[in-house]
């Protein structure tokens, strides 16, 4: 009996060892799929790995084949070293590949690691003759703009998209850490927050729809701002924000305007100070920029070295100094004392134009500057009246930044029911905004908020002149590609 039991135990142990050996053999042979960023950082060193991506360069030699492959996870590609036997006519610049091999330390200083390929599979072919981007050419941002469906394949635009993603994460993280509640404000609205009338009206496209009836029973539009909806929510949640698309039907093809763009908007309850708002704005700007510089150093450097050389010094200067604050009246005085020849008037009561904004930024040391207390008549109905006659200003503030001009606009909101009602009556809007008056009738508190243009922020930190080059799919007058 003892011998039978021992024999059974020996057979079981042998079977277990064989199974474990098979598992080890399988694991050793089965490659681990890594992103290029992981492989470049040294993850999976001396192991069998697989990477998937697009070929950025091909260099065949007599005995060896060298490729650079990138999957969009980093600016730096992974160098592939293979036997020339693995080369084939389909292996061209722009094609999609799967490469399996052993990740090794590179003997060259230009890259820390390289992949010694055992197998290269072309997943998607690319004709380099027809492909609009050429392997040895540095294409301008203007040229890339012609190919919105392909420009993400280039180093410049893939870097922009990674920066945009990290900046989005940083902004949302700031608000979460500081107790703000995110609100998903509607894209379709019956309100014109800015009062400028530059709206896209929303109507059904079905031929069966009755042209004499509105789908929503009232005229509906694409939102120009989430502010009014945030004000609703700030009556119950004292700190709220939204981050989403907004729309303006401006017939403009300038470098500063888009028909669709993203806005970061926030409202803060129980505040009677513009300084409370400017602190949040400056903190958002700084925290987002610090995060981007820390997490996308190579991507940011690409812009600072090849798109706008020298812009890094401007960014560093912005981050070292606190943002100064001047009043609109002081700004007008600065402009009038200037020897600069301006195309637009600089009289008190005139709206500041881009040329004025950029001059004020340079005058203040080429760093962001807050301008406060604008003429009351220049601001929308919701801006708080300072009641400071004879000048008569509103408690409003704009943030002006280098290279862009206005980045952010905000104000304390008029919480006094009698003053708000009088202004709405004057504008003939009392009935339309009766619900807005209700917010003041039922538990109103002093509050304020702001809106920051996300694309303009990216222009500011990267030094990109044209706003169409910092958004994935730009929409503007006479252009809606894809």
């Amino acid at each position: 009996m003892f011998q039978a039991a021992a024999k059974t135990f020996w057979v079981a142990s042998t079977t277990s060892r064989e199974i474990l050996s098979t598992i080890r053999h399988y694991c050793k042979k089965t490659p681990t799929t890594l992103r290029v960023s992981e492989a470049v950082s040294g993850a999976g060193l001396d192991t069998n790995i697989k990477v998937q991506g697009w070929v950025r360069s091909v260099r065949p030699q007599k005995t060896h084949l060298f490729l650079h492959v990138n999957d969009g996870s980093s600016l730096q590609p992974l160098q592939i070293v293979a036997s020339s036997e693995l080369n084939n006519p389909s292996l061209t610049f722009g094609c999609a590949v799967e490469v399996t091999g052993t990740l090794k330390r590179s003997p060259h200083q230009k890259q820390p690691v390289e992949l010694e390929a055992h197998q290269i599979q072309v997943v998607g072919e690319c004709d380099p003759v027809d492909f609009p981007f050429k392997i040895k050419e540095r294409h301008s941002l203007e040229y890339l703009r012609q190919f919105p469906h392909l420009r993400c394949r280039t180093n410049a635009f893939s870097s922009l998209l990674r920066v945009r993603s990290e900046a989005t994460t940083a902004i949302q993280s700031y608000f979460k850490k500081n107790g703000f509640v995110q609100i998903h404000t509607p894209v379709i609205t019956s309100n014109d927050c800015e009062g400028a009338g530059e709206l896209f009206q929303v109507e059904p496209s079905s031929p069966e729809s009755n042209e004499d009836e509105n789908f929503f029973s009232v005229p509906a539009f694409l939102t120009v701002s989430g502010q009014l909806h945030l004000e609703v929510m700030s009556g119950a949640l004292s700190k709220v924000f939204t981050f989403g698309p907004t729309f303006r039907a401006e017939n403009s093809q300038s470098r500063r305007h888009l028909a669709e763009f993203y806005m970061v908007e926030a409202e803060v309850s129980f505040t009677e100070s513009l300084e409370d708002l400017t602190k949040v704005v400056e903190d958002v700007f700084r925290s987002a920029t610090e995060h981007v510089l820390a997490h996308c150093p190579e991507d940011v450097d690409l812009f600072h070295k090849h798109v706008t050389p020298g812009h890094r010094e401007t960014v560093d200067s912005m981050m070292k100094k606190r943002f100064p604050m001047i009043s609109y009246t002081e700004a007008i005085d600065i402009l009038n004392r200037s020897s600069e020849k301006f195309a637009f008037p600089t009289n008190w009561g005139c709206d500041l134009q881009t040329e004025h904004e950029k001059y004020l930024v340079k005058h203040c040391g080429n760093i962001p500057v807050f301008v406060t207390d604008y003429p009351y008549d220049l601001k929308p109905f919701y801006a708080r009246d300072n009641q400071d006659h004879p000048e008569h200003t509103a408690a409003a503030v704009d943030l002006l930044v280098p290279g862009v001009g206005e980045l952010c606009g905000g104000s304390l909101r008029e919480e006094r029911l009698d003053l708000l009602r009088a202004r709405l009556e004057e504008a003939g809007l009392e009935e339309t905004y009766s619900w807005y008056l209700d917010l003041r009738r039922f538990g109103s508190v002093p509050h304020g908020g702001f809106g920051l243009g996300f694309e303009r922020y990216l222009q500011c930190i990267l030094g990109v002149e044209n706003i169409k080059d910092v958004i994935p799919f730009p929409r503007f007058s006479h252009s809606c590609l894809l």
Side-chain angles (χ1 to χ4, degrees), residues 356-423:
H356 305 145
E357 295 167 347
K358 290 184 176 181
Y359 179 85
L360 291 170
V361 168
K362 290 182 180 178
H363 176 85
C364 293
N366 206 35
I367 61 173
V369 55
F370 290 107
V371 179
T372 67
D373 302 310
Y374 281 77
Y376 184 72
D377 291 337
L378 291 181
K379 293 302 174 182
F381 65 86
Y382 49 74
R384 195 177 199 273
D385 189 346
N386 280 331
Q387 295 184 304
D388 54 350
H389 298 283
E391 286 187 335
H392 199 192
T393 65
V397 59
D398 286 348
L399 178 62
L400 314 181
V401 298
V404 174
E406 182 189 346
L407 170 65
C408 176
S411 73
L412 298 180
R413 314 310 189 192
E414 185 57 81
E415 85 284 3
R416 295 163 292 188
L417 179 60
D418 56 337
L419 294 180
L420 180 60
R421 179 184 285 123
R423 187 150 199 203

Side-chain angles (χ1 to χ4, degrees), residues 316-391:
D316 289 341
S317 179
M318 288 191 288
M319 298 303 288
K320 288 176 183 176
K321 300 176 183 177
R322 303 303 301 182
F323 301 170
M325 184 181 298
I326 62 175
S327 70
Y328 169 87
T329 301
E330 290 172 323
I332 290 296
D333 184 55
I334 291 169
L335 295 172
N336 286 332
R337 286 189 286 108
S338 165
S339 59
E340 193 90 4
K341 299 290 185 181
F342 296 112
F344 293 90
T346 57
N347 303 326
W348 199 98
C350 294
D351 206 355
L352 296 180
Q353 303 298 319
T354 303
E355 60 174 350
H356 305 145
E357 295 167 347
K358 290 184 176 181
Y359 179 85
L360 291 170
V361 168
K362 290 182 180 178
H363 176 85
C364 293
N366 206 35
I367 61 173
V369 55
F370 290 107
V371 179
T372 67
D373 302 310
Y374 281 77
Y376 184 72
D377 291 337
L378 291 181
K379 293 302 174 182
F381 65 86
Y382 49 74
R384 195 177 199 273
D385 189 346
N386 280 331
Q387 295 184 304
D388 54 350
H389 298 283
E391 286 187 335

Side-chain angles (χ1 to χ4, degrees), residues 126-159:
C126 178
D127 186 341
V129 176
D130 294 334
F131 195 46
F133 310 133
K134 305 308 175 186
I135 190 168
K136 293 184 179 181
E137 293 183 23
R138 181 175 293 168
H139 303 289
S140 68
L141 296 180
E142 290 77 13
Y143 177 78
L144 301 185
R145 210 179 300 144
Q146 302 175 68
F147 308 98
H149 58 304
L150 294 173
R151 64 176 178 170
C152 58
R153 311 279 185 95
T154 65
N155 282 341
F157 209 74
S158 62
S159 285

Side-chain angles (χ1 to χ4, degrees), residues 185-385:
T185 55
V187 170
I188 299 175
T189 178
S190 58
N191 299 316
D192 177 8
C193 179
E194 297 295 322
E198 297 166 338
L199 303 169
F200 289 105
Q201 189 159 355
V202 178
E203 297 176 347
S205 62
S206 171
E208 299 176 1
S209 61
N210 189 340
E211 294 183 0
D212 297 327
E213 295 182 6
N214 288 306
F215 181 85
F216 296 101
S217 297
V218 295
F221 312 94
L222 295 180
T223 182
V224 297
S225 171
Q227 177 209 315
L228 298 183
H229 298 95
L230 285 184
E231 283 198 63
V232 171
M233 298 303 176
S234 70
L237 308 166
S238 57
K239 297 167 78 173
V240 293
F241 83 100
T242 190
F243 189 172
T246 53
F247 307 85
R248 303 282 171 89
E250 290 183 279
N251 188 15
S252 172
Q253 298 185 17
S254 77
R255 295 183 296 182
R256 302 180 69 249
H257 294 97
L258 290 169
E260 177 186 14
F261 53 96
Y262 278 70
M263 287 279 284
V264 180
E265 300 178 87
E267 288 288 321
V268 180
S269 295
F270 301 99
T271 181
E272 299 180 70
S273 167
L274 279 178
E275 285 75 10
D276 290 345
L277 297 183
T278 59
K279 183 181 185 306
V280 176
V281 172
E282 185 168 350
D283 287 349
V284 168
F285 185 99
R286 290 184 181 280
S287 63
T289 306
E290 288 171 358
H291 179 93
V292 167
L293 294 178
H295 290 78
C296 306
E298 292 181 337
D299 296 313
V300 173
D301 283 348
L302 181 146
F303 282 89
H304 290 172
K305 290 179 180 178
H306 302 297
V307 177
T308 314
H311 190 69
R312 182 54 184 262
E313 287 76 12
T314 301
V315 175
D316 289 341
S317 179
M318 288 191 288
M319 298 303 288
K320 288 176 183 176
K321 300 176 183 177
R322 303 303 301 182
F323 301 170
M325 184 181 298
I326 62 175
S327 70
Y328 169 87
T329 301
E330 290 172 323
I332 290 296
D333 184 55
I334 291 169
L335 295 172
N336 286 332
R337 286 189 286 108
S338 165
S339 59
E340 193 90 4
K341 299 290 185 181
F342 296 112
F344 293 90
T346 57
N347 303 326
W348 199 98
C350 294
D351 206 355
L352 296 180
Q353 303 298 319
T354 303
E355 60 174 350
H356 305 145
E357 295 167 347
K358 290 184 176 181
Y359 179 85
L360 291 170
V361 168
K362 290 182 180 178
H363 176 85
C364 293
N366 206 35
I367 61 173
V369 55
F370 290 107
V371 179
T372 67
D373 302 310
Y374 281 77
Y376 184 72
D377 291 337
L378 291 181
K379 293 302 174 182
F381 65 86
Y382 49 74
R384 195 177 199 273
D385 189 346

Side-chain angles (χ1 to χ4, degrees), residues 449-461:
F450 63 86
L452 182 151
F454 185 54
E455 281 74 27
R456 289 190 180 183
Y457 166 74
L458 295 174
Q459 284 184 276
C460 175
I461 64 169

Side-chain angles (χ1 to χ4, degrees), residues 23-78:
I23 291 174
R24 290 192 191 100
H25 178 75
Y26 176 80
C27 292
K28 185 177 180 180
K29 291 294 183 182
T30 302
T32 301
T33 301
L34 295 181
R35 303 198 75 189
V36 166
S37 59
E38 295 171 325
V40 168
S41 68
L45 195 64
D46 296 319
T47 64
N48 196 30
I49 71 165
K50 177 170 71 175
V51 294
Q52 300 160 314
W54 293 267
V55 173
R56 291 296 177 87
S57 71
V58 183
R59 187 159 52 93
Q61 294 185 350
K62 187 175 182 180
T63 59
H64 288 87
L65 172 68
F66 296 91
L67 306 175
H68 278 161
V69 172
N70 201 314
D71 62 357
S73 59
S74 72
L75 178 62
Q76 186 176 356
L78 177 64

